[in-house]
Amino acid sequence: MRRILVIEDEESVARFLVSSLEENHYSVRTEISGAKGVQAAIEYRPDLVILDLGLPDIDGQTVLLKLREWMKVPIIILTARESDADKVLALDQGADDYLTKPFSVAELLARIRVGLRHFESVDQSTIYRNGRLECDFKGHTVMVAGTLVRLTSTEYDILRVLVKNAGKVVTHRALLKEIWGPNSVEHTQYLRVYVGQLRKKLRAEDFTAGLIVTEPGIGYRLMQED
Ligand code: CA
């Protein structure tokens, strides 16, 4: 059974998480403070951590940094709706994904599945298939419904980063850094242009429009069929 550590001080949210996760055959341990959460991560050795950013003792961002000093397993953060800056900071500091309160069981389970799957398949195969999209990272080709799509090298790089993180959100900063280097992390206008072109090319081949989803104020997410 996969072990999930929940660090959350809000009792109703913690209860909801425990019942939803146990019902879906995960083993769960909850802690209500950052300090206890860090300690529990060492003892319990979870396969995944769900971390609330608003904790009573240590700030959730600090807990995240402490966990990331040694821990590689996926960390999903929980945040309030109005805190986009917190989400971006946490994602850039090593969180894998986020859930905005209130969230549904379906969202929760989907995020966990994506997180665990990524972690367990670090060596990705060279061919990626998602519905009608097929990327061959060895041959540098992208096909949609069997038709070759001609992408510029930048468009291709953006798609490659999104595919590498399929199902997970990728922040503007992370994308910019990966593609244009650390000095370009503020230039989100580049991304809007290139992602727009990429979407248009994929759509031109009659592909579903919702493949690359904009997460407003945060980044982009490549939707993946389960
Ligand atoms: Ca809280």
Side-chain angles (χ1 to χ4, degrees):
M1 218 188 245
R2 300 288 189 39
R3 291 187 300 276
I4 297 184
L5 171 63
V6 172
I7 309 173
E8 164 65 272
D9 62 315
E10 222 171 306
E11 213 181 298
S12 59
V13 180
R15 256 205 315 268
F16 168 74
L17 285 167
V18 170
S19 65
S20 318
L21 294 173
E22 285 182 344
E23 219 165 275
N24 286 281
H25 315 291
Y26 291 105
S27 168
V28 192
R29 172 163 166 175
T30 54
E31 293 295 344
I32 55 164
S33 76
K36 284 184 175 160
V38 171
Q39 191 55 37
I42 297 165
E43 296 162 9
Y44 185 57
R45 305 204 136 272
D47 296 297
L48 183 141
V49 177
I50 297 177
L51 170 66
D52 180 33
L53 284 185
L55 293 168
D57 57 338
I58 319 172
D59 174 57
Q61 304 278 5
T62 309
V63 175
L64 173 65
L65 288 176
K66 278 183 189 290
L67 293 177
R68 270 291 172 257
E69 279 174 15
W70 60 277
M71 206 180 203
K72 293 199 165 58
V73 303
I75 300 177
I76 298 174
I77 52 158
L78 302 181
T79 65
R81 187 160 297 285
E82 59 278 6
S83 55
D84 280 354
D86 285 348
K87 289 173 199 163
V88 171
L89 179 65
L91 291 165
D92 284 333
Q93 285 182 331
D96 290 81
D97 216 326
Y98 66 90
L99 282 162
T100 306
K101 294 178 191 177
F103 49 85
S104 67
V105 178
E107 277 178 280
L108 169 71
L109 296 176
R111 294 285 185 275
I112 290 174
R113 268 200 307 275
V114 168
L116 290 173
R117 190 165 51 211
H118 271 278
F119 188 63
E120 284 155 10
S121 62
V122 180
D123 284 321
Q124 304 228 342
S125 62
T126 55
I127 305 272
Y128 170 81
R129 286 190 190 87
N130 180 6
R132 285 185 287 172
L133 174 70
E134 187 178 313
C135 305
D136 177 348
F137 293 110
K138 212 167 168 191
H140 289 261
T141 55
V142 175
M143 313 254 278
V144 173
T147 305
L148 193 68
V149 184
R150 296 196 185 283
L151 300 180
T152 64
S153 62
T154 304
E155 292 159 0
Y156 177 83
D157 285 344
I158 291 172
L159 183 61
R160 188 178 44 80
V161 176
L162 292 174
V163 163
K164 202 168 76 186
N165 295 284
K168 298 202 301 187
V169 68
V170 183
T171 63
H172 295 131
R173 196 184 177 83
L175 257 173
L176 286 162
K177 194 170 161 193
E178 182 112 1
I179 291 159
W180 287 283
N183 296 328
S184 306
V185 294
E186 305 304 328
H187 298 165
T188 47
Q189 74 276 15
Y190 293 179
L191 273 183
R192 258 198 304 276
V193 173
Y194 283 105
V195 170
Q197 287 171 5
L198 178 58
R199 278 181 173 142
K200 214 155 113 191
K201 287 190 181 175
L202 296 178
R203 213 177 299 153
E205 300 298 336
D206 195 30
F207 195 50
T208 44
L211 180 69
I212 300 170
V213 171
T214 301
E215 300 270 352
I218 301 192
Y220 299 96
R221 187 192 298 272
L222 186 103
M223 298 308 280
Q224 179 162 269
E225 292 183 359
D226 260 330

